[in-house]
Amino acid sequence: EGPIDRKKTPDEISSEPFPLLAEFEWCTMDVNDKSQVEDIFVLLNENYVEDRDASFRFKYTREFFNWSLKPPGWKKDWHVGVRVRSTGKLVAFISAIPVNLSVRGNVIKSVEINFLCVHKQLRGKRLAPVLIKEITRRVNKCDIWFALYTSGTVLPSPVSVCRYTHRPLNWNKLLDVGFVQLPPGASKPQMVANYTLPKGPTTKGLRPLKPEDVEQAHSLFEKYQRRFDLVQEFSKEEFSHWFLGGSEQMHATPDTKVIYSYVVENEHGKITDFFSFYSLPFTILNNSVHKELGIGYLFYYASDADLIYNNRFDPKATSALKERLSQLINDACILARNAKMDVFNALTSQDNALFLEKLKFGPGDGFLNFYLFNYRAFPITGGIQDDQDYDVKKRSNVGVVML
Ligand SMILES: Cc1c(C(=O)c2nccn2C)oc2cccc(OCCCNCc3cccnc3)c12
């Protein structure tokens, strides 16, 4: 396990942007400029990832970009666009953000690559490989040589693969848009009843994360994460950014809120648990009644339920954690439903296998592959069996969650 290329230095890397077809030009986006965030929003809203049947397309909002593209240490130079020289129209984008990854305990200064998008009319012109080469050049110039990225499609040598799972929150709407079907022998009222959740969360001491919780919550999270082989290390500042989302998110309204973070404070004022989820709707492409699908994605969480055991796989530790996580993530589903989300998505990563079945998450037909650039690592289990089925017993060693 370790780096693939020999050690290089930034001055070995060209200072010239990678050559582009004459009709196009590189542009460095300024995400502090609202009109340029608008350009990114429009490009991805019309041309980004769709599901296999082209029924849904990701709808990353302007607030989502303001949150995900500007974590501590972000660099303007790593928000790379391609514009048509004659019109200035943005036709492609790719981004990198700095992360400290730990792979089986080896900490590697890396970037996370995300939001690679080429306009639908420019597919097949080999623009994506050029975007990847250019952002690699810009990151290498900053003396960073490794990257983490995900894809729904299979590329050479994933370090891990996880399965999509879904917990219906608004079953009738999911039926209307064709995301779920009525199983033979079942009635709609029975299906709705099966997925009905309580009015509000039931965990004692549960409340939204506040700035004054960061010290304790960050420390709990950092201890909890040690169990995984592939994790992102978070500084306190990074923890604040990702889970409080800065002032824009702390004062967000229901339709601009992206990140939802909660803690459990016990009667002694101790933070014993933390969980978060983010809002990433889908545009519904072929439905006359419904325009959007509200989706909550399970993000990071931590619990002290099994920290008193020194072995994660000790049956007593497992059942203590299983019980606590089931309670917490069920509350996450309730809070997501109260935030008008129609489905709650999770992967088979982290310790999710402990609660997916009990909380009625069904297996999806998608898989998320994780890739490390320039770093060879033995495969890390993503929580699915060899037959790609997810099974409550198989727990993953993947701790990173990609947006
Ligand atoms: C995408 C996605 C979907 C769906 O496609 C979906 N849900 C409801 C209806 N549909 C069609 O379901 C998931 C469950 C867990 C994690 C997920 O995604 C994890 C994060 C994905 N990152 C974005 C991405 C994914 C694949 C390729 N590029 C970007 C997903």
Side-chain angles (χ1 to χ4, degrees):
E1 290 204 333
I4 294 173
D5 290 348
R6 65 167 176 78
K7 184 109 182 70
K8 288 182 188 168
T9 58
D11 48 31
E12 291 177 66
I13 304 296
S14 163
S15 298
E16 286 308 304
F18 205 81
L20 261 181
L21 295 168
E23 65 206 277
F24 302 125
E25 63 187 356
W26 290 114
C27 72
T28 297
M29 305 301 287
D30 175 1
V31 293
N32 282 331
D33 173 348
K34 273 189 182 301
S35 70
Q36 295 189 49
V37 172
E38 192 64 20
D39 288 348
I40 297 168
F41 167 73
V42 168
L43 174 71
L44 271 81
N45 198 31
E46 293 170 3
N47 300 277
Y48 199 48
V49 178
E50 296 171 5
D51 69 313
R52 204 197 344 254
D53 319 338
S55 315
F56 309 107
R57 187 185 303 139
F58 282 106
K59 184 182 173 67
Y60 286 94
T61 62
R62 299 155 181 89
E63 292 80 16
F64 197 106
F65 291 120
N66 283 328
W67 174 60
S68 58
L69 291 176
K70 297 197 282 186
W74 69 277
K75 292 182 186 324
K76 189 168 174 292
D77 202 40
W78 293 356
H79 298 151
V80 184
V82 173
R83 292 186 188 275
V84 176
R85 209 177 275 283
S86 56
T87 61
K89 181 180 164 63
L90 185 69
V91 290
F93 180 72
I94 190 167
S95 73
I97 55 170
V99 290
N100 278 324
L101 285 185
S102 166
V103 186
R104 289 192 177 92
N106 301 311
V107 179
I108 53 175
K109 265 188 84 50
S110 311
V111 291
E112 257 173 26
I113 298 296
N114 207 344
F115 306 124
L116 165 59
C117 182
V118 171
H119 195 286
K120 280 172 179 276
Q121 289 162 347
L122 298 177
R123 302 282 165 88
K125 286 182 171 255
R126 309 294 297 153
L127 260 178
V130 172
L131 280 155
I132 292 168
K133 286 187 175 73
E134 175 59 8
I135 200 147
T136 302
R137 185 190 68 81
R138 294 184 183 208
V139 169
N140 287 166
K141 275 313 249 186
C142 299
D143 203 16
I144 292 179
W145 308 92
F146 307 108
L148 172 68
Y149 54 101
T150 59
S151 173
T153 54
V154 185
L155 304 163
S157 57
V159 67
S160 190
V161 60
C162 296
R163 185 167 188 169
Y164 289 176
T165 76
H166 317 283
R167 205 288 181 190
L169 301 175
N170 180 346
W171 197 85
N172 276 322
K173 182 170 173 185
L174 297 180
L175 182 71
D176 290 350
V177 303
F179 181 60
V180 296
Q181 276 125 21
L182 187 59
S187 74
K188 278 194 207 176
Q190 278 169 335
M191 294 307 289
V192 170
N194 177 53
Y195 290 110
T196 297
L197 288 162
K199 288 265 169 302
T202 58
T203 304
K204 193 166 164 302
L206 184 75
R207 60 171 172 74
L209 175 75
K210 296 182 296 196
E212 43 274 31
D213 300 319
V214 166
E215 182 77 32
Q216 276 202 68
H218 173 254
S219 165
L220 169 70
F221 180 57
E222 199 260 329
K223 287 187 190 72
Y224 182 80
Q225 283 239 100
R226 288 181 193 154
R227 68 188 59 209
F228 301 119
D229 286 345
L230 176 60
V231 295
Q232 174 181 343
E233 296 200 337
F234 288 76
S235 66
K236 265 197 219 94
E237 295 68 31
E238 286 171 318
F239 187 93
S240 283
H241 173 81
W242 288 112
F243 302 110
L244 288 171
S247 61
E248 183 184 88
Q249 277 301 300
M250 279 195 268
H251 306 114
T253 58
D255 62 333
T256 62
K257 192 166 177 55
V258 176
I259 178 71
Y260 297 74
S261 301
Y262 289 80
V263 293
V264 175
E265 177 180 343
N266 72 8
E267 59 274 19
H268 312 299
K270 185 168 181 292
I271 305 277
T272 57
D273 311 274
F274 142 77
F275 66 76
S276 56
F277 58 94
Y278 61 86
S279 167
L280 170 54
F282 265 127
T283 302
I284 301 172
L285 300 172
N286 56 2
N287 190 290
S288 49
V289 174
H290 303 290
K291 294 295 156 228
E292 262 191 38
L293 198 61
I295 307 185
Y297 285 79
L298 182 60
F299 199 36
Y300 289 98
Y301 57 82
S303 173
D304 70 0
D306 70 348
L307 293 184
I308 50 171
Y309 304 90
N310 53 27
N311 168 11
R312 171 187 182 205
F313 297 103
D314 171 338
K316 286 196 293 297
T318 298
S319 69
L321 185 63
K322 176 182 167 73
E323 190 185 328
R324 180 80 67 79
L325 290 182
S326 300
Q327 167 71 34
L328 288 171
I329 306 305
N330 198 54
D331 277 350
C333 292
I334 293 165
L335 291 160
R337 193 262 336 264
N338 292 352
K340 309 274 182 288
M341 294 168 190
D342 303 309
V343 58
F344 194 80
N345 281 350
L347 288 163
T348 53
S349 51
Q350 302 152 296
D351 279 321
N352 298 356
L354 294 180
F355 55 77
L356 290 172
E357 204 151 342
K358 184 177 172 189
L359 298 189
K360 302 181 181 174
F361 283 77
D365 59 10
F367 293 88
L368 196 63
N369 299 284
F370 290 75
Y371 301 94
L372 286 171
F373 181 86
N374 186 31
Y375 196 89
R376 180 178 295 107
F378 296 115
I380 295 171
T381 173
I384 46 183
Q385 304 291 7
D386 311 359
D387 60 3
Q388 303 211 314
D389 231 357
Y390 83 82
D391 182 312
V392 285
K393 288 177 291 298
K394 182 105 186 190
R395 289 159 76 177
S396 90
N397 289 322
V398 173
V400 290
V401 181
M402 291 282 284
L403 299 174

